[in-house]
């Protein structure tokens, strides 16, 4: 579901498990939309931890706003969507409900999710590989996402993820709806991967 013909992140995680000797994969999805395709691919697989932070809007944001199976999507992209069977507990969903609020989440809120939820859970899971579904539609200036994550924020988020899995981190570009915002945030992410400062503020945030 969504705009993917092939779910590159899900395929990469499956290949890493099947062919590369990877035992546990953490998939971090920071796209402003929930990655229901990734979650469904691994919801019964305890070897893949799926962590998504996205706009939920009480089940009225895509993909939960579609006419067909909207209620089902709304349930799985909410905090109650935790996986199934032996995979229960290996899907983690942080959904923003922002409509009617004066502002939407940005750097501070995303970093709080990383520090208070993602990193403790991921540390206990102890992945061998981390793959990021890196859609940049939560970026400041994206006309569809409406959130406020800056290039400095993405730099800091990436630096934190590099602490996991011995630094074995793959960032898979999934686009965005502002070319300039996607370019700036993608460049900041690459700078983090290369050990470079994005901006002075990014360096301070990542410390």
């Amino acid at each position: 579901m969504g705009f993917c013909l092939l779910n590159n992140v899900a395929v990469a995680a499956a290949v890493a498990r099947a062919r590369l000797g990877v035992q546990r994969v953490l998939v971090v999805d920071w796209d402003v939309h929930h990655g229901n395709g990734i979650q469904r691919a691994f919801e019964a697989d305890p070897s893949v931890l799926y962590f998504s932070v996205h706009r939920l809007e009480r089940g009225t944001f895509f993909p939960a706003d579609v006419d067909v199976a909207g209620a089902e999507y709304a349930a799985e992209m909410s905090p109650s969507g935790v996986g199934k069977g032996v995979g229960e507990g290996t899907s983690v969903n942080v959904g923003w409900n922002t409509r009617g609020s004066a502002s939407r989440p940005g750097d501070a809120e995303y970093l709080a999710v990383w520090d208070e939820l993602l990193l403790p859970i991921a540390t206990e899971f102890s992945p061998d590989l981390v793959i990021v579904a890196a859609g940049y539609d939560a970026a400041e200036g994206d006309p569809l996402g409406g959130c406020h994550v800056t290039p400095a924020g993405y730099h800091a988020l990436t630096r934190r993820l590099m602490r996991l899995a011995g630094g074995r981190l793959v960032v898979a570009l999934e686009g965005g709806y502002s070319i300039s915002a996607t370019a700036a945030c993608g460049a900041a992410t690459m700078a983090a991967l290369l050990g470079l400062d994005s901006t002075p503020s990014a360096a301070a945030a990542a410390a």
Side-chain angles (χ1 to χ4, degrees):
M1 171 95 191
F3 302 119
C4 299
L5 296 178
L6 293 174
N7 193 323
N8 56 333
V9 168
V11 170
V15 170
R17 288 274 296 110
R19 300 184 183 177
L20 303 180
V22 172
Q23 298 299 309
R24 292 177 301 281
V25 180
L26 166 63
V27 175
V28 177
D29 189 346
W30 66 38
D31 191 288
V32 81
H33 301 99
H34 179 250
N36 55 304
I38 304 174
Q39 180 169 318
R40 287 190 173 188
F42 301 111
E43 62 187 355
D45 185 347
S47 69
V48 179
L49 172 62
Y50 175 68
F51 188 101
S52 177
V53 55
H54 50 269
R55 285 183 63 187
L56 175 63
E57 307 304 352
R58 296 176 175 81
T60 62
F61 200 73
F62 186 86
D65 63 342
V66 296
D67 292 334
V68 179
E72 183 179 355
Y73 290 138
E76 70 182 17
M77 65 192 278
S78 74
S80 62
V82 297
K84 296 181 179 179
V86 295
E88 186 172 348
T90 56
S91 295
V92 182
N93 288 291
V94 178
W96 306 116
N97 293 313
T98 66
R99 287 182 177 152
S101 301
S103 62
R104 288 183 177 147
D107 293 355
E109 291 79 10
Y110 274 75
L111 288 168
V113 169
W114 257 231
D115 292 341
E116 300 298 326
L117 292 175
L118 172 55
L119 292 177
I121 293 170
T123 298
E124 182 174 345
F125 181 70
S126 189
D128 304 303
L129 175 67
V130 180
I131 305 176
V132 180
Y136 289 101
D137 43 8
E140 179 74 61
D142 188 279
L144 193 151
C147 294
H148 303 288
V149 184
T150 67
Y154 282 110
H155 187 279
L157 296 174
T158 304
R159 292 286 290 177
R160 281 161 165 75
L161 293 177
M162 292 169 67
R163 301 173 189 170
L164 301 168
R168 291 180 290 274
L169 173 64
V170 176
V171 179
L173 178 63
E174 295 195 339
Y177 302 92
S178 164
I179 293 175
S180 59
T182 297
C185 295
T189 301
M190 289 300 298
L193 292 171
L194 293 169
L196 303 175
D197 293 341
S198 173
T199 64
S201 59

